[in-house]
Amino acid sequence: MSSRVCRTCGGSDIDVDQARGSAVCTGCGSVLEDNIIVSEVQFVEGSGGVSSAVGQFVSADGPAKAPLIGSGFHTSVGKESRAQTLQGGKRQIQQLGSQLQLNQHCLDTAFNFFKMVVSKHLTRGRKTEHVIAACLYLVCRTEGTPHMLLDLSDLLQVNVYILGKTFLLLARELCINAPAIDPCLYIPRFAHMLEFGGKTHEVSMTALRLVQRMKRDWMHTGRRPSGLCGAALLVAARMHKFRRTVKDVISVVKVCQTTLRKRLTEFEDTPTSQLTIDEFMRVDLEQECDPPSFIAAQHKAKMQQLEQQLAQKLDDVEGQISCYKDEIETELERSRPKLSGIYAAYAKEIEPEDAKALPATPDLEPPEAEDDELRAAAQQLTQDFLCQVIQEEEGRGEAGDDSGREEGEGSQRQAAPLAAILGKLPAPVSLGLQQTFDASEASEEPGDEPMEGGDLDLDGIDDQEIDKYILNQEEVQVKTELWMKQNAEYLKEQQEKEERIKKEKEQGTYKEKPKKAKQKKEPILASTAGEAIEKMLEKKRISSKINYDVLRDLNSRGTGSGGGSSPSRPAPDPPDATTATRKRVARRRRKKASDVSRSLAATTSMIGKRVRHLISSTSKKRKTAVQEEPPTAPKRDATPEPTAEAPPEQEAEAGPALPAPPPGPEVGEEEEEEEVEEECVSALQLVGGQCRAGTPQVHSGKEDKELMYNRLID
Amino acid sequence: MTPITPATPASKSSEIVPQLKNVISVVNLGCKLKLMSIALKAWNIEYNPKRCPAAIMRLREPRTTALIFSSGKMVCTGAKSEQLSRLAARKHARVLEKLGFPVKFLNFTIQNMVGSCDVKFPIRLESLFLTHQKFSSYEPELFPGLIYRMVKPRIVLLIFASGKIVFTGAGSKGFEGVKERAVIYEAFENIYPILEAFRKK
């Protein structure tokens, strides 16, 4: 603060108190100033006790528009879309991060991740809050903070698996390998939430030990770490005589009751659970258990094996039982009173058949004692059996021998009369099967080859089976009714849509939904790098603030002929700027183009700088430019051709509004005119004109400055 | 040139062979279909236009499900082998033919195959994740298994702590899926020595 003289006493000793914001004269005590506006940094306390500085950060290479004081809310007006996205993202990260109580370093890292994500265009098609949450979780994982994905999903009310999907994708795209979660990380956090008071540390230690033991017993592989922590904390609490119920624990740990109980049961199955508390704290058992899923799988396999064995045994037992049954029956037959007449004949038939059937040797010739009825019955049964068997064989295509064996066993099982019929089956059946096998194998091979004609090959498809799927008339009617009722809404919608289309067609306003034709990206073919850049810029418009046509011309002109057209558009020149000024500018530009070869990238980046230069050194440029006019005259004459070319081009670009002066002879006249007109044009006009035109004038400004420098150097 | 692959392949020494559990195939029937009329004439076809634009046909033997689109394309899933998938697709087409449509059987291709096997020993997923971070993704909070994306052959394996492995091809952009069962066998050969390294002693 500059020392001032007191008004009342004239003394120069003034005390400025920054805290009170007042300036007081120490001589007479009069207050010279009150409520001084100080230029110190002020701090404000945010949520969670975090203090942050008041004010905005104005970046040095950002857009030149000064942030409007007093309208602090509209800070995003006028910035580019990318900056807006990043700013919005930063704000959301701060918000979410403060809710999670993350420190500033984490939030900054998260913002860096977000910037990477945006630059890789991974935010497209995803909700920003999902992406933000994923970035934050990524930071949590890399830093090792005890935050779960569940916490984030709680805050956002989003399904945790959706967040997980986004997180996995980001981690893969950004090539960030987050280390695996250790359940030990969560113990202190949960212990704190369970409120153990002074003994929190001890309980945590016990719980940690328990978790480590669980890890060694392979209980944590593939499981949510929070479940394990919950079980460990519950046991630790009980060990230290705290009464924490399952419900308390699950509300803190965020797992369900079943899970917790399951973990406790699994822990119970391990040998460590048998130790006493003291023993557990001292001793570490060597043995490591298998993971519970492995044990369960083994158990299941054993059960299946046992079942199979049981089934086999049952079969054997049945076989034995049937044997006994047969024997009992024969005994009964014998012990029964002898029948006379026709019945005696029947009795005689059964006996020799039994004797033949039991050994199950294939008998090709039917036994002579068989009756006609029995023969007919036998044939019928044979046919049915054959059909069944053949169908099965077609489906499987293999294992014919098994069925043969099964039939053999089956014959043993059956009661005596049927045994006779079935006894003869193995032989013809096996023969029949062989034939069907050969046939099916032969047909399958051409069937496997790809269909060239495109016709449906019906090999191996049973028409009867297919027909079973098709409904008859009545069934179709019933199904139609049901379906119509079910889909009534959909049908209504379709009808309305059709009516709408009809109406629109009549009115002539019908717009057929244009099907998005995929634009094929053609590869850029160019002979030189410059050409390639041109073509690329043509196709891909980077910024709306560049006149690409002029840029292109600049590049081609600058390398070729001496004169060049201006890299900026004189067309949007406001009517304020005079023709002379423009021509002057044009000539300077030409020279500029011939002197300096400019790369396109440099051009775009220099825009910002030029605007600043322009605003600060407008008046200076004008004066120096005028001084340079005479020396540039000889140069101008040396390049008559480009001169002739340039003005018509300028005029073409400038538009019909401006008069078209003749090129050559007017050069000398203009010089004189310029000097005269220079004084007439007001500073306001110049400044206003240049500012409004924006980019075009900027270039000229830059050129002027460079020209000036060149002159100085020379 | 000494061969890089071991002389005795892993599966031969351990006698474990991955089993095919599911085969997904597509076929072009070559004609437009009226889904509504198809759905009403057969009892094993369901059609819910609001939910899905395709009709769903289920077959008992072989037990498969087919999605039939009105453009005439059909997707057949659920078969246990390539031949069965082809047979099932033909049966589905036969049903449609019987319902009165001039179906053909064009461009039958197998799109994806899913196989599984059991190595019969527990696996330390955390250690596997640490050493093969470039290929694996292990998030116990989200999924109990480790997702291993093998580069050659291009296949995705789901590895579980109990020792069970699932081989599948779906998931990546631009990747078409497992087309032949040899790919699954090759993947198993490659992963078996790695898994043995993380076996529970």
Side-chain angles (χ1 to χ4, degrees), chain B residues 16-46:
Chain B
I16 303 171
V17 181
Q19 305 296 317
L20 272 187
K21 295 286 188 210
N22 187 11
V23 176
I24 300 152
S25 54
V26 294
V27 69
N28 187 0
L29 301 173
C31 68
K32 299 266 177 252
L33 302 168
K34 292 219 171 71
L35 295 182
M36 209 181 335
S37 68
I38 293 172
L40 299 173
K41 289 190 196 156
W43 64 264
N44 60 338
I45 301 181
E46 63 180 78

Side-chain angles (χ1 to χ4, degrees), chain A residues 221-360:
Chain A
T221 316
R223 269 84 186 281
R224 277 222 179 122
S226 44
L228 278 174
C229 293
L233 273 169
L234 188 62
V235 175
R238 296 279 167 83
M239 278 163 76
H240 286 268
K241 315 237 186 321
F242 282 99
R243 251 188 321 155
R244 295 283 177 271
T245 61
V246 172
K247 275 199 185 152
D248 297 333
V249 175
I250 59 177
S251 63
V252 161
V253 162
K254 296 185 195 161
V255 286
C256 92
Q257 221 181 46
T258 327
T259 314
L260 200 59
R261 281 190 204 282
K262 191 152 183 254
R263 297 286 169 268
L264 290 169
T265 327
E266 285 169 4
F267 187 58
E268 213 181 321
D269 291 334
T270 64
T272 314
S273 62
Q274 306 301 320
L275 301 172
T276 66
I277 296 175
D278 294 324
E279 277 177 8
F280 171 69
M281 299 307 278
R282 281 182 287 119
V283 174
D284 216 7
L285 290 177
E286 285 296 318
Q287 184 197 21
E288 289 180 0
C289 303
D290 288 330
S293 51
F294 182 70
I295 297 173
Q298 277 189 329
H299 193 66
K300 207 168 152 193
K302 253 191 230 169
M303 294 294 286
Q304 272 184 348
Q305 238 188 344
L306 274 174
E307 267 180 37
Q308 269 182 355
Q309 284 178 353
L310 272 172
Q312 257 187 343
K313 276 192 185 164
L314 262 172
D315 289 342
D316 294 338
V317 167
E318 260 188 44
Q320 284 185 1
I321 288 176
S322 59
C323 275
Y324 290 142
K325 199 166 108 189
D326 296 339
E327 282 182 26
I328 289 169
E329 281 196 11
T330 48
E331 282 298 321
L332 280 173
E333 287 298 321
R334 279 191 213 119
S335 56
R336 248 186 239 145
K338 296 281 176 186
L339 303 157
S340 55
I342 323 156
Y343 305 110
Y346 274 131
K348 275 191 217 159
E349 283 166 20
I350 292 167
E351 283 174 24
E353 280 162 15
D354 281 354
K356 279 187 199 166
L358 284 169

Side-chain angles (χ1 to χ4, degrees), chain A residues 57 72 204 285 301 348 369 509:
Chain A
F57 181 66
S204 303
L285 290 177
K348 275 191 217 159
T509 59

Side-chain angles (χ1 to χ4, degrees), chain B:
Chain B
M1 269 290 268
T2 50
I4 303 165
T5 50
T8 50
S11 67
K12 287 216 181 116
S13 57
S14 58
E15 288 165 5
I16 303 171
V17 181
Q19 305 296 317
L20 272 187
K21 295 286 188 210
N22 187 11
V23 176
I24 300 152
S25 54
V26 294
V27 69
N28 187 0
L29 301 173
C31 68
K32 299 266 177 252
L33 302 168
K34 292 219 171 71
L35 295 182
M36 209 181 335
S37 68
I38 293 172
L40 299 173
K41 289 190 196 156
W43 64 264
N44 60 338
I45 301 181
E46 63 180 78
Y47 178 46
N48 210 338
K50 258 200 291 187
R51 260 197 307 164
C52 175
I56 304 165
M57 190 198 300
R58 292 175 218 273
L59 222 55
R60 265 206 205 124
E61 170 64 48
R63 194 166 273 281
T64 49
T65 307
L67 289 169
I68 304 161
F69 292 85
S70 54
S71 62
K73 300 245 172 80
M74 183 168 80
V75 181
C76 176
T77 60
K80 294 275 186 245
S81 81
E82 304 94 317
Q83 290 92 340
L84 281 177
S85 187
R86 197 188 183 94
L87 175 67
R90 285 195 285 127
K91 282 196 181 175
H92 286 287
R94 181 75 181 126
V95 172
L96 292 174
E97 198 176 6
K98 289 225 162 177
L99 290 175
F101 291 92
V103 297
K104 298 219 189 74
F105 202 72
L106 305 165
N107 302 333
F108 174 82
T109 36
I110 303 223
Q111 288 294 102
N112 195 12
M113 298 205 280
V114 178
S116 79
C117 77
D118 188 356
V119 296
K120 307 255 194 299
F121 54 77
I123 304 168
R124 242 318 163 209
L125 296 179
E126 301 85 32
S127 325
L128 176 59
F129 177 58
L130 272 175
T131 43
H132 289 72
Q133 256 183 352
K134 200 169 170 221
F135 307 109
S136 32
S137 151
Y138 175 52
E139 289 296 319
E141 272 199 49
L142 295 171
F143 189 64
L146 187 146
I147 304 166
Y148 192 96
R149 291 174 201 272
M150 199 178 274
V151 175
K152 190 180 177 319
R154 190 95 184 268
I155 199 171
V156 173
L157 297 94
L158 301 174
I159 305 172
F160 294 91
S162 57
K164 297 226 170 40
I165 322 283
V166 174
F167 305 87
T168 181
S172 340
K173 215 198 256 186
F175 174 53
E176 291 170 345
V178 178
K179 302 273 191 186
E180 291 166 36
R181 58 165 79 202
V183 174
I184 294 182
Y185 295 152
E186 199 189 328
F188 180 65
E189 302 288 322
N190 291 347
I191 199 78
Y192 193 75
I194 297 170
L195 295 176
E196 273 198 316
F198 297 100
R199 182 182 193 147
K200 177 177 171 289
K201 301 289 177 276

